[in-house]
Amino acid sequence: MSRSPEQDSDWTTGVGDSAAGESARVARLVRVAQHIEMHADEALTLSSLAKVAALSPSRLQKQFKAAFGVSPKAYQDAVRMRRFKQSLKDGSKVTDAIFASGFGSVSRVYGEANRSIGMPPRTYRAGGAGEVIVYAGRTTALGLMMMAATDRGVCFVEFGDDEASLMGRLRSEFPEAELIASPARNAPELDAWMEALDQHISAGAPRPDLPLDMRGTAFQVKVWQFLLSIREGDVLSYSEVAAKIDKPRAVRAVASACGKNRIGVLIPCHRVLRGDGGLGGYRWGLERKRALLEAERRSVTRE
């Protein structure tokens, strides 16, 4: 009796511990992801994608989400959004960029764009034009730190060796926003926030609970929000974080989200380690990550 593609795929994935079976499963899902990348501007259905993988639609949905952390539909929207954002940066009109990226309707992209990039499309196209971002810097125990905030909260905390490089990073994120150095009379909140964070870093005071303006994909924001729940002195592995947010197969995506965090310390991505206990990566250097973890261990021990 002949076997259906679904039965074949069941047998392949059913070996579980078999390296060959796992390799075949991953290859199928990568093939689907590549198909979505190549046809992102088309109306793709779950059924049509299931044929690419030789799986049933329900099984594809489950396996794809487990591997990539998002559904095939959300993955396609993310590809479209990336192209949409690039078109805006390249100078395309908003309506041209919407249809060129495959969204198909103005209303749909406005809802998706506001969720994914934290600002209306026209504002993003202009690199944050119309937004006022106040920034300040000071030397801390971790070196020079720059903090910046919109009217919604802190959107940027980075560390570097000199002011010029930090300003370059801030301008890269918000190239057309009005960037204002903070004299206390114009932004007393930011100065107070800087002082509170410096006290945490340099003097062991509690990490301040400040309003945050997080800008990223839905998955990234989900990871960052979870990181806020990790207590001082505790550490988790990337795989443990993935499991905690119900995305156990999305370990690499979790690591990527940690690496793209632009709000250092306030979003404590330094509390996430490799599975073997190694430090893993850190946007601002492993020495800073090590120093933060050691300071937190000392603080907890004193208590």
Side-chain angles (χ1 to χ4, degrees), residues 30-43:
V30 169
R31 190 162 64 246
V32 173
Q34 291 172 335
H35 183 84
I36 293 173
E37 293 269 358
M38 291 187 293
H39 302 277
D41 58 342
E42 301 175 14

Side-chain angles (χ1 to χ4, degrees), residues 115-195:
R115 180 178 65 81
S116 297
I117 61 179
M119 61 180 80
R122 290 188 185 276
T123 304
Y124 189 88
R125 175 178 180 266
E131 288 207 312
V132 175
I133 297 177
V134 182
Y135 68 91
R138 68 166 60 199
T139 301
T140 72
L142 296 178
L144 188 61
M145 175 179 73
M146 180 173 287
M147 178 186 289
T150 66
D151 58 1
R152 292 178 292 278
V154 176
C155 62
F156 182 97
V157 175
E158 297 224 13
F159 299 88
D161 298 324
D162 57 76
E163 184 178 349
S165 64
L166 288 173
M167 280 302 303
R169 294 181 208 170
L170 182 60
R171 288 196 180 98
S172 177
E173 283 300 309
F174 308 100
E176 300 299 330
E178 183 179 359
L179 304 179
I180 300 177
S182 168
R185 64 181 179 275
N186 289 343
E189 297 89 351
L190 183 63
D191 278 42
W193 296 345
M194 284 285 291
E195 173 65 23

Side-chain angles (χ1 to χ4, degrees), residues 60 102 169 221:
L60 172 62
R169 294 181 208 170
V221 171

Side-chain angles (χ1 to χ4, degrees), residues 186-229:
N186 289 343
E189 297 89 351
L190 183 63
D191 278 42
W193 296 345
M194 284 285 291
E195 173 65 23
L197 186 52
D198 186 19
Q199 286 296 310
H200 169 66
I201 292 170
S202 302
R207 179 170 57 92
D209 184 13
L210 305 181
L212 303 178
D213 185 358
M214 292 184 280
R215 303 185 180 203
T217 66
F219 181 83
Q220 288 168 348
V221 171
K222 185 173 185 177
V223 171
W224 299 337
Q225 288 174 334
F226 174 79
L227 298 184
L228 295 173
S229 71

